[in-house]
Amino acid sequence: NQARVADKATVVSTSTRNFPNRLGQGANVYLASAELAAIAAILGKLPTKAEYMELYTSLNKQKDTTYSYLNFDQYDNFTSKADTISIDAQVQSDAKKSYAAFIA
């Protein structure tokens, strides 16, 4: 992820990692669950516990249609298209060399 934000901005991210200046010079980055990020986006700020619980309860009512695991290997339209992809031999060779150098 190469996203950048304004210097010294405060943001909520669903990324799995964070380190100083990753998203912007002096940016304050709060790592959050998808639910917390959605609630922060709705409110335009980090919620209080009461705000979080109120909106989470509302979001949770739709959980069966909102949440699903992306098991791409179980989607026929994904696997059938994947079977038709061809990768140039030079690209495969370069990727293998890069990977070998990376793990060395």
Side-chain angles (χ1 to χ4, degrees):
N1 183 346
Q2 301 303 317
R4 300 290 289 175
V5 299
D7 291 351
K8 299 182 181 176
T10 298
V11 298
V12 176
S13 173
T14 58
S15 176
T16 58
R17 64 183 191 271
N18 189 27
F19 46 86
N21 303 314
R22 177 174 176 265
L23 294 180
Q25 190 65 33
N28 296 307
V29 181
Y30 293 90
L31 300 184
S33 66
E35 292 88 356
L36 179 55
I39 291 168
I42 290 166
L43 295 175
K45 67 180 185 83
L46 289 172
T48 64
K49 182 178 179 182
E51 290 169 330
Y52 175 85
M53 293 309 296
E54 178 183 347
L55 288 169
Y56 177 79
T57 300
S58 178
L59 290 171
N60 201 40
K61 290 177 185 174
Q62 301 173 26
K63 69 180 179 183
D64 292 337
T65 58
T66 301
Y67 301 108
S68 66
Y69 290 102
L70 298 176
N71 296 317
F72 291 112
D73 63 320
Q74 297 175 17
Y75 293 111
D76 289 334
N77 62 345
F78 179 81
T79 55
S80 62
K81 287 183 182 181
D83 290 340
T84 65
I85 301 295
S86 64
I87 300 173
D88 180 77
Q90 185 63 48
V91 172
Q92 286 182 349
S93 176
D94 291 346
K96 288 177 183 177
K97 288 176 188 172
S98 294
Y99 179 70
F102 176 74
I103 62 171

